[in-house]
Amino acid sequence: MKILALDTSSEGCSAALFVDGDVIEEFEHAPRGHTRLLMPMVRELLAEQGLKPQDLDALAFARGPGSFTGVRIATGVIQGLAWGLDLPVVPVSSLETVAFGAIERLQPGDSEGIAVAFDARMSELYWGCFRNRSGLPERLGEEQVCPPSRVVLEPGVTCWSGVGSGWAFREQMPPEVLARVGAIDESLIPRAGWVAYLAAEKFRKGQTVPAEQAQPVYIRDEVTWKKLPGRD
């Protein structure tokens, strides 16, 4: 199985190849460099592995939520490649991607629940709750956008870890949420390597879409969303 995965949904820009169980990743922290860096990363990865685009079985990308501009960049590249190569696409939630990254770092006996929060600007967070199910994130409830004061942990899990940039606003979160959260890591952002691992699992289960259905997921209604100066 050979899958190319991309992520530009945050300040990180990354591309990764899943090749028969191994993942090779190119990553750079470049908030304004996604367009410039992404395709050179893809070409370098394929060349390093001696692969041509026609050797791929599927494509994957972090579909959001995240930076509106960033999510659109990866979506556009993936759609173009999928149409040109006639390949299926695996969209992967950016929140799920970070939950997987957190699970990879957990030690035995650590938190069962992973609460992922991204800074969504406008005094809101992108929020998603996941359970560690045999090393993979199982989503609990729906992903949403809301003020920090309205986040809620899903029932059925007693001990949680908090990850993502949105946890910088934990002082605004409800006390009952903070009381159930142990370790917090604000530094985790989506990475294409994690997208690739999750995409391989979804590909095995047939969870793919054609190019025209490979769409970004913003959660916030982009029609009513008011863009702030200098932000995306």
Side-chain angles (χ1 to χ4, degrees), residues 19 40 185 205:
V19 181
D185 186 347
K205 298 175 182 177

Side-chain angles (χ1 to χ4, degrees), residues 13 15 19 23 29 54 79 102 109-110 114 130 154 161 182 194 212 216:
C13 178
V19 181
V23 169
H29 189 278
Q54 294 80 3
Q79 284 183 334
D110 281 350
I114 311 294
F130 301 85
E154 296 294 327
S161 293
W194 298 335
E212 63 272 17

Side-chain angles (χ1 to χ4, degrees), residues 21 36 76 87 108 113 116 134 137 139 144 205 209-210 217 220-222:
R36 172 176 55 86
L87 288 175
V116 185
S134 301
R139 194 182 72 193
Q144 60 182 300
K205 298 175 182 177
V209 298
V217 173
R220 177 183 282 137
D221 183 351
E222 64 178 305

Side-chain angles (χ1 to χ4, degrees), residues 63-68 71-72 126 145 216-222:
R63 59 162 174 75
S67 159
F68 278 27
V71 170
R72 286 196 296 269
Y126 295 122
V145 59
V217 173
Y218 300 120
I219 299 182
R220 177 183 282 137
D221 183 351
E222 64 178 305

Side-chain angles (χ1 to χ4, degrees), residues 67-84:
S67 159
F68 278 27
T69 301
V71 170
R72 286 196 296 269
I73 290 170
T75 303
V77 171
I78 286 293
Q79 284 183 334
L81 291 171
W83 267 311

Side-chain angles (χ1 to χ4, degrees), residues 12-88:
C13 178
S14 55
L17 277 173
F18 182 97
V19 181
D20 301 329
D22 294 323
V23 169
I24 308 94
E25 181 189 62
E26 292 275 347
F27 175 90
E28 187 167 332
H29 189 278
R32 301 294 177 185
H34 298 137
T35 303
R36 172 176 55 86
L37 294 169
L38 192 58
M39 285 311 297
M41 285 181 173
V42 170
R43 287 192 289 269
E44 183 174 347
L45 280 170
L46 290 171
E48 286 177 352
Q49 299 303 308
L51 297 174
K52 298 177 181 178
Q54 294 80 3
D55 297 325
L56 298 170
D57 297 300
L59 304 168
F61 72 112
R63 59 162 174 75
S67 159
F68 278 27
T69 301
V71 170
R72 286 196 296 269
I73 290 170
T75 303
V77 171
I78 286 293
Q79 284 183 334
L81 291 171
W83 267 311
L85 298 168
D86 192 23
L87 288 175

Side-chain angles (χ1 to χ4, degrees), residues 124-200:
E124 291 184 317
L125 302 177
Y126 295 122
W127 179 259
C129 293
F130 301 85
R131 185 200 308 269
N132 180 0
R133 181 72 74 181
S134 301
L136 293 172
E138 175 189 48
R139 194 182 72 193
L140 304 175
E142 296 299 319
E143 297 179 352
Q144 60 182 300
V145 59
C146 63
S149 60
R150 294 180 58 188
V151 299
V152 176
L153 295 173
E154 296 294 327
V157 175
T158 56
C159 187
W160 293 80
S161 293
V163 295
S165 62
W167 283 93
F169 304 96
R170 56 184 172 274
E171 292 184 0
Q172 302 174 37
M173 295 181 182
E176 58 269 25
V177 168
L178 298 178
R180 297 169 62 191
V181 174
I184 292 175
D185 186 347
E186 302 171 20
S187 68
L188 288 191
I189 61 174
R191 298 184 65 122
W194 298 335
V195 174
Y197 275 116
L198 290 172

